Amino acid sequence: MMRIAAPELEIAVLVLGMVILMVETFATKIDKRILAFAAIAGLAIVLLATFFVVPSPSQDQATGFWSFYTADRLSIFFKQFALVTTIFVLIMMTDYAPVLRDSFPGSTPQSGLGEFFALPIFTCVGLMYLVSAVDFVFIFVSLELVAISFYVLVSFTRRNPITLEAGIKYLVLSALSTAFLVYGIAWIFGVTGQTNLHRIADALANPATNHSAALLGMVLVLVALGFKIAAVPFQIWVPDVYQGAPTPVTAYLSVGSKAAGFVVLLRVLQPFLVLPETQRLVVVIAVLTLIYGNLAALPQANMKRLLAYSSIAHAGYLLIGVVCFDVRAVSFYLVAYLLMTLLSFAVLILVAQQAGEEISDFDGLARRSPFLAFAMLIGMVSLAGVPFTAGFLGKFFIFYAAVLQRQLALVIVGVLTVGCGFYYYLKVIRAMYWQPVDKIDKIPVSGLSRLAISALIIGTIWLGIYPQPILDALKR
Amino acid sequence: MVLFVIFCPIIAAILIMVGAPARKTALAAAVLTFVAALFLLTTFRDGEHAFQHVTSFSISPDWRLSFTTGVDGLSLIMVLLASIVTVAAVWFASAIERYENAFYACLLLISGGAIGAFASIDLFFFYAFHELALIPTFLLIGIWGSGNRVAAAWKITIYLAIGSFILLLGLILLYQSVPVDSRSFDIRALQAAAGLGQISADAQRHIYLLLLISFGILVSLFPFHTWAPEAYASAPAPAAMLHAGVLKKFGLYGFLRLAIPLLPEGARHWTTLLVVLLLGNIIYVGLVTIAQKRLDWMLGYSSVMHMGYIFLGIASAGILGVTGAAVLMFAHGLSIALLFAIAGELRKRTGTLVFDELGGLARVMPFAGLAFGFGVFAAIGLPGFANFAGEIMIFFGAFKNGWVIHRFHLFQIATALALWGVVISTVYMLRAYRKTFMGTTGEQWKQLVDLRASLRVPVTLLVGALLCYGFFPQSFVRMVAPKFRAYLSANRTDLSDTKRCSHGAVRRPLAVADEGNAPQGRGYNTCQIANR
């Protein structure tokens, strides 16, 4: 059987991105959408190749490159996760291209498209490196690769003042969080003399280590990662940036960036679990995130802002899994979150081009496009956590872990906020199915998006009934 | 066959969404389901307490999770109830103004979800199927409801969503309360674990409280009942029939299925709380019902009130009371569906359900009056209807519980108070009947037409089932009792291990299995009994 070493995957994706950029530069005459299709095909090939990578064994004695980089099951799983996300985001971007064209007035209809399709590939490389990183230096570098490509993507339609505001906010706050990260790493390095997470764990197990200083470093790192995963109180940027950024980029931020953030969080917190304060701190963050995300989502009228607050709320549920340190539950939840969030965003992009981004623009969608309305229905009930959808099993595994560890506060807050969730997700269903509609014009859906949306619907329901494939993939 | 009963409505719902002719497909599916349920009933072997017609598909070996379905006596009568009410509800749903397809699909989804919950042996699917029925209920009330439909839809959805997530916590706790290697969502496995005493008394108390709250919300137990009347008042008649008649019984079914066999210690611990709450249902909600000025609200409150009797039977935890609870669940489902159906027809014809505006309708709508009269008398608990059989078993069972010759025990007081509930329900039911159908016919109602001939079929079906099981409750008891006997005697064995009470008196465990329907207490005061 063909053997592929894990780092080759990232290199392949990197080369793909560069080739796309080159073609974009020199072949000016072609339809730029071809680039997107080429990128999707290339990423699909890499995705296929990931299934032939043999997971590397234990990391304890690794040296050289392998002390930075791990290719365990978890990292390969999340490499696949990043690739799938990027493929779906690229499909959404092809749908979004007409909007992009409008925001470059006075230029050719193709301008800006090439970079728009190439940048996500570099983000993808960053995400793939990030989930493999087991050394603070490497975490920092790959995090920067992700962040810098997002700086460009978020403010891509820069003629739009809301987008520009989002770009500035994201840039400033992201840079601030990076500063916290570096500062935290410096403290941890100062205390333990190590940047590798395994060696840090060994150092912390030694009672002679200054634990309070290490804790300070951990808290600073937590601030930076809290920014990435949109946990309260580092969530200030989320609604504005989600609303202002081009919608496919919002989807990418809310799925790819968050998932990688959680993988890093799990890896970084592992050594610090010996300190009892760590868990308490995360419990507090989780409770705050759950309450804030769900309550703030209640009055939202803009669909993108609603999804932004829902993204904060889901960070709260994921943090319950982090508190219990149940890697499988967190990973399954992230997969479910990928499916249902991308589904909602894919529908949103198509509807927003015809009507708008307000929830009231979804009024009577069931009449105008039964297919899109059904897709949104599945996305929303899955986000709310109705059985036979992936979202329910995600919540089930999370609550299972929490009950097992007797995290009473988290469980109570979690259940009450699920009730809130039902309210604001069903608000969208209400708009689609029983609000009267003034205009009945069909919404066109291209073949590729129809395929992608169908795949996401089937995935959501399939995993809600038969979760075993994902659970098997996560088995160590 | 069980799979067919579950999936026939669900597949029909999908077909209707895709574009099959709505009413014909729905009616065909409902009738097919009913026939299949009857087939299950005829092939059911009485006197066995094991599940029959079991099929199983493994879903997740890691979690010992499998899609296992099958029926025993208790679940079979619930499936039968669901299929009868489905036929009636679909039949009564005529002339839908908008989204006809979606309406019928929602009805069938509720029915399929309820049947799936009753026929699932695996707790995960037991839970999931019930939750599946929740979203269609929300849509039915919100889209096709009347009155304050939007507020009612939100209220029911959020209430029931929180209730069912609390239930999920209870089920997870139950799953975790047995040792790691015997963990399973299979009820039979849990039962075996409980029989070995693997569920600690402490865990039982916690789980029982969670189940009490969650099932209490779902069944509208006293302080958690506020969603119910409003939702039923604004729901379209078929939705109210299906929810009040069938889906609400899910919580009671869950109590009988989980709390009685698995958590006897928890039940003992929280008995007083449960009895106080159920008296709130019977007395407080009963009085509130009398004060209602609209027929739909009155029916909504009355359905909340009658849950109190069923809870009394469950709380008594003796074979007679529990069997009575099962019979009353079935009977109440039929009678409330009948009442909601007629009320829905009245609303369709008159446009109002306020008592003061109605009156004398029996003269212009004799058949509707007769059918409503049957429903009223059944709800009051007149002999001859299945409700009577259920109520009398519950009262006897509860009164017998912990009986001491010298003083009244909690259960005797509760039963004495609950008997007043019969008086209360007589007052409001007869009052409603008089104000709606008796008296002088208003000028504006002279032109009303009676129920069409075709609508008489579902009414006959409901009344027929009520009378049939009212005159022959024994056929019912034979199906249900073996299961409960097995449940209750399993609980008793752990008591009989310790033959001596603290003060040295010999405790004589009360035999259950040998005396058929002989009323048996749970043994609250077995020491005193044996002392005498």
Side-chain angles (χ1 to χ4, degrees):
Chain A
M1 201 173 85
M2 188 172 57
R3 295 286 292 266
I4 300 168
E8 289 167 11
L9 298 172
E10 281 93 351
I11 295 171
V13 178
L14 205 57
V15 170
L16 176 70
M18 287 174 175
V19 169
I20 300 268
L21 268 187
M22 289 291 181
V23 174
E24 202 272 328
T25 314
F26 292 109
T28 46
K29 295 278 185 272
I30 57 164
D31 182 358
K32 295 285 166 63
R33 290 186 187 217
I34 291 174
L35 294 178
F37 298 135
I40 291 168
L43 289 175
I45 292 170
V46 177
L47 179 62
L48 220 63
T50 54
F51 289 97
F52 297 98
V53 176
V54 181
S56 65
S58 152
Q59 283 291 306
D60 296 341
Q61 305 303 323
T63 53
F65 177 69
W66 293 97
S67 70
F68 291 97
Y69 183 98
T70 176
D72 56 6
R73 278 253 190 199
L74 188 69
S75 67
I76 291 175
F77 182 80
F78 276 98
K79 281 183 211 298
Q80 292 160 349
F81 186 100
L83 286 164
V84 170
T85 314
T86 315
I87 290 172
F88 277 111
V89 167
L90 280 169
I91 294 174
M92 287 186 215
M93 282 177 164
T94 57
D95 281 326
Y96 195 74
V99 184
L100 205 63
R101 230 171 273 157
D102 297 340
S103 66
F104 286 86
S107 50
T108 62
Q110 297 274 342
S111 61
L113 275 184
E115 294 88 341
F116 197 55
F117 294 141
L119 276 169
I121 303 175
F122 294 109
T123 317
C124 180
V125 179
L127 294 174
M128 288 167 77
Y129 275 128
L130 197 55
V131 296
S132 277
V134 286
D135 188 293
F136 268 123
V137 175
F138 201 53
I139 289 176
F140 177 74
V141 173
S142 21
L143 212 56
E144 281 307 279
L145 180 54
V146 174
I148 289 171
S149 46
F150 266 127
Y151 295 154
V152 184
L153 281 171
V154 166
S155 49
F156 208 82
T157 52
R158 58 183 179 281
R159 296 293 167 90
N160 184 344
I162 299 177
T163 307
L164 210 56
E165 182 196 331
I168 298 288
K169 277 192 176 153
Y170 187 69
L171 175 68
V172 172
L173 287 173
S174 180
L176 189 67
S177 85
T178 307
F180 272 103
L181 179 65
V182 180
Y183 195 39
I185 293 173
W187 270 92
I188 293 170
F189 180 73
V191 174
T192 61
Q194 301 290 347
T195 55
N196 180 295
L197 290 171
H198 293 284
R199 306 225 179 88
I200 289 174
D202 295 341
L204 284 175
N206 182 355
T209 316
N210 183 346
H211 280 173
S212 49
L215 204 62
L216 176 65
M218 191 274 293
V219 170
L220 292 170
V221 171
L222 204 59
V223 171
L225 293 176
F227 173 85
K228 290 284 168 216
I229 62 173
V232 175
F234 318 110
Q235 88 301 350
I236 311 283
W237 61 281
V238 173
D240 291 339
V241 172
Y242 275 38
Q243 190 184 6
T247 315
V249 177
T250 310
Y252 207 9
L253 260 182
S254 101
V255 177
S257 178
K258 189 188 290 263
F262 269 101
V263 177
V264 174
L265 189 64
L266 285 171
R267 286 203 199 282
V268 167
L269 284 185
Q270 180 105 50
F272 291 93
L273 284 182
V274 289
L275 310 177
E277 292 90 344
T278 314
Q279 203 187 28
R280 266 177 259 155
L281 192 63
V282 184
V283 168
V284 172
I285 294 179
V287 167
L288 287 178
T289 310
L290 281 170
I291 293 175
Y292 179 85
N294 281 296
L295 289 188
L298 289 178
Q300 297 307 321
N302 180 296
M303 194 66 199
K304 275 168 97 175
R305 283 186 91 84
L306 177 75
L307 286 172
Y309 283 109
S310 117
S311 149
I312 298 175
H314 285 280
Y317 296 114
L318 283 159
L319 279 170
I320 298 181
V322 173
V323 170
C324 309
F325 224 80
D326 190 332
V327 178
R328 279 172 88 185
V330 172
S331 309
F332 188 89
Y333 199 101
L334 282 170
V335 173
Y337 180 73
L338 171 143
L339 293 168
M340 55 208 189
T341 309
L342 289 182
L343 186 56
S344 321
F345 274 111
V347 177
L348 173 63
I349 287 172
L350 292 168
V351 175
Q353 286 178 30
Q354 295 289 321
E357 289 169 357
E358 302 296 312
I359 292 181
S360 55
D361 294 322
F362 281 75
D363 286 359
L365 186 66
R367 285 277 182 83
R368 296 161 64 195
S369 171
F371 174 70
L372 288 181
F374 180 71
M376 200 60 159
L377 172 77
I378 297 294
M380 289 295 134
V381 296
S382 179
L383 283 166
V386 173
F388 301 114
T389 59
F392 170 72
L393 273 180
K395 285 207 174 64
F396 173 77
F397 291 140
I398 294 276
F399 278 122
Y400 182 86
V403 173
L404 194 61
Q405 301 211 354
R406 300 287 183 270
Q407 297 284 356
L408 200 60
L410 285 176
V411 168
I412 291 171
V413 174
V415 166
L416 290 179
T417 51
V418 166
C420 289
F422 266 81
Y423 175 77
Y424 58 81
Y425 292 123
L426 293 188
K427 214 160 72 169
V428 181
I429 298 179
R430 188 186 82 140
M432 293 189 304
Y433 281 92
W434 79 61
Q435 292 298 46
V437 60
D438 322 325
K439 47 174 184 178
I440 303 185
D441 49 340
K442 297 279 176 223
I443 297 178
V445 184
S446 73
L448 187 61
S449 346
R450 192 175 281 269
L451 190 71
I453 290 175
S454 309
L456 288 170
I457 293 175
I458 292 169
T460 308
I461 295 175
W462 179 256
L463 280 191
I465 295 172
Y466 190 65
Q468 197 58 27
I470 300 290
L471 297 179
D472 281 339
L474 288 164
K475 237 177 244 170
R476 278 155 202 282
Chain B
M1 204 62 196
V2 176
L3 287 182
F4 177 79
V5 177
I6 297 174
F7 286 107
C8 182
I10 294 178
I11 291 171
I14 296 170
L15 285 180
I16 289 174
M17 286 308 273
V18 173
R23 185 170 171 78
K24 281 181 193 142
T25 317
L27 211 48
V31 172
L32 266 181
T33 313
F34 176 55
V35 171
L38 280 184
F39 176 79
L40 280 179
L41 188 69
T42 48
T43 55
F44 187 79
R45 294 184 300 279
D46 277 357
E48 282 183 30
H49 64 78
F51 283 94
Q52 302 178 17
H53 300 286
V54 177
T55 46
S56 183
F57 304 95
S58 177
I59 297 288
S60 170
D62 296 6
W63 291 77
R64 293 224 197 99
L65 181 61
S66 60
F67 178 53
T68 312
T69 56
V71 286
D72 62 356
L74 178 60
S75 48
L76 184 55
I77 63 166
M78 296 316 293
V79 169
L80 189 66
L81 168 69
S83 62
I84 293 176
V85 176
T86 308
V87 172
V90 171
W91 208 305
F92 265 104
S94 53
I96 308 302
E97 282 161 25
R98 44 189 185 143
Y99 305 125
E100 194 185 16
N101 285 18
F103 185 88
Y104 283 103
C106 284
L107 281 187
L108 289 176
L109 276 180
I110 296 183
S111 155
I115 294 176
F118 293 138
S120 289
I121 299 180
D122 191 273
L123 284 184
F124 183 84
F125 285 92
F126 160 80
Y127 173 85
F129 270 115
H130 169 257
E131 185 101 343
L132 180 70
L134 209 66
I135 298 293
T137 316
F138 169 74
L139 294 176
L140 277 172
I141 296 176
I143 303 179
W144 296 278
S146 56
N148 196 5
R149 63 192 164 98
V150 176
W154 283 130
K155 205 168 174 183
I156 184 173
T157 310
I158 291 169
Y159 237 113
L160 297 192
I162 291 182
S164 46
F165 263 86
I166 297 174
L167 170 61
L168 183 65
L169 294 184
L171 295 182
I172 290 176
L173 210 57
L174 184 61
Y175 179 83
Q176 290 172 354
S177 65
V178 295
V180 176
D181 37 322
S182 54
R183 270 181 199 169
S184 165
F185 280 108
D186 193 312
I187 293 179
R188 295 166 299 180
L190 286 172
Q191 173 99 53
L196 296 172
Q198 287 177 332
I199 305 178
S200 73
D202 221 27
Q204 287 190 25
R205 272 179 228 130
H206 295 148
I207 299 168
Y208 190 89
L209 185 63
L210 281 175
L211 293 188
L212 182 66
I213 294 172
S214 60
F215 285 141
I217 291 176
L218 299 179
V219 187
S220 63
L221 184 62
F222 162 54
F224 315 112
H225 68 278
T226 49
W227 58 270
E230 191 173 3
Y232 294 149
S234 32
M241 290 165 74
L242 270 176
H243 197 278
V246 181
L247 200 58
K248 205 159 79 162
K249 304 295 179 292
F250 167 80
L252 298 163
Y253 173 81
F255 246 103
L256 291 175
R257 183 64 85 204
L258 300 177
I260 300 254
L262 302 178
L263 312 165
E265 177 53 38
R268 222 184 320 261
H269 188 80
W270 296 106
T271 298
T272 316
L273 176 68
L274 179 57
V275 168
V276 169
L277 294 185
L278 70 88
L279 283 177
N281 264 46
I282 296 177
I283 305 294
Y284 172 75
V285 179
L287 293 176
V288 171
T289 316
I290 293 183
Q292 295 308 310
K293 298 200 163 30
R294 292 173 56 92
L295 182 59
D296 46 0
W297 280 79
M298 195 242 25
L299 290 178
Y301 271 110
S302 88
S303 95
V304 174
M305 179 211 167
H306 281 110
M307 295 301 112
Y309 296 133
I310 305 179
F311 270 117
L312 182 62
I314 293 172
S316 76
I319 181 102
L320 192 57
V322 173
T323 312
V327 174
L328 188 56
M329 273 158 74
F330 182 83
H332 176 261
L334 294 176
S335 60
I336 199 75
L338 179 62
L339 291 171
F340 270 123
I342 304 292
E345 287 299 310
L346 286 185
R347 175 165 30 206
K348 214 179 281 171
R349 284 167 171 68
T350 63
T352 177
L353 284 177
V354 180
F355 286 139
D356 290 344
E357 297 173 14
L358 297 169
L361 294 185
R363 212 157 293 157
V364 284
M365 303 172 68
F367 186 81
L370 179 69
F372 198 83
F374 272 121
V376 160
F377 290 130
I380 294 171
L382 228 60
F385 290 100
N387 304 55
F388 171 74
E391 281 176 22
I392 201 144
M393 283 160 89
I394 289 173
F395 287 139
F396 278 29
F399 198 80
K400 177 77 187 169
N401 202 323
W403 169 247
V404 189
I405 200 79
H406 307 297
R407 63 185 179 89
F408 264 19
H409 186 266
L410 172 69
F411 271 101
Q412 279 84 52
I413 300 168
T415 313
L417 286 172
L419 278 169
W420 281 98
V422 178
V423 178
I424 293 174
S425 64
T426 312
V427 170
Y428 65 69
M429 278 294 177
L430 287 183
R431 209 174 119 251
Y433 189 68
R434 192 194 53 168
K435 290 212 167 177
T436 317
F437 287 98
M438 298 294 148
T440 49
T441 316
E443 267 315 306
Q444 71 271 41
W445 309 134
K446 290 272 200 266
Q447 306 306 318
L448 291 182
V449 281
D450 203 359
L451 298 188
R452 288 194 313 278
S454 71
L455 277 186
R456 299 182 184 186
V457 179
V459 170
T460 317
L461 185 66
L462 291 171
V463 174
L466 271 175
L467 286 174
C468 171
Y469 283 108
F471 280 102
F472 306 104
Q474 194 56 26
S475 60
F476 217 89
V477 171
R478 259 204 300 275
M479 280 164 62
V480 189
K483 191 72 177 188
F484 290 136
R485 212 168 288 145
Y487 280 174
L488 294 170
S489 61
N491 295 346
R492 201 57 45 76
T493 48
D494 55 321
L495 286 181
S496 58
D497 289 342
T498 50
K499 289 261 194 251
R500 289 193 164 269
C501 291
S502 50
H503 51 279
V506 178
R507 172 191 267 176
R508 194 172 63 215
L510 292 172
V512 177
D514 48 354
E515 289 172 54
N517 293 323
Q520 297 294 346
R522 169 154 224 132
Y524 291 94
N525 289 307
T526 39
C527 290
Q528 287 96 320
I529 295 169
N531 267 340
R532 283 201 315 279

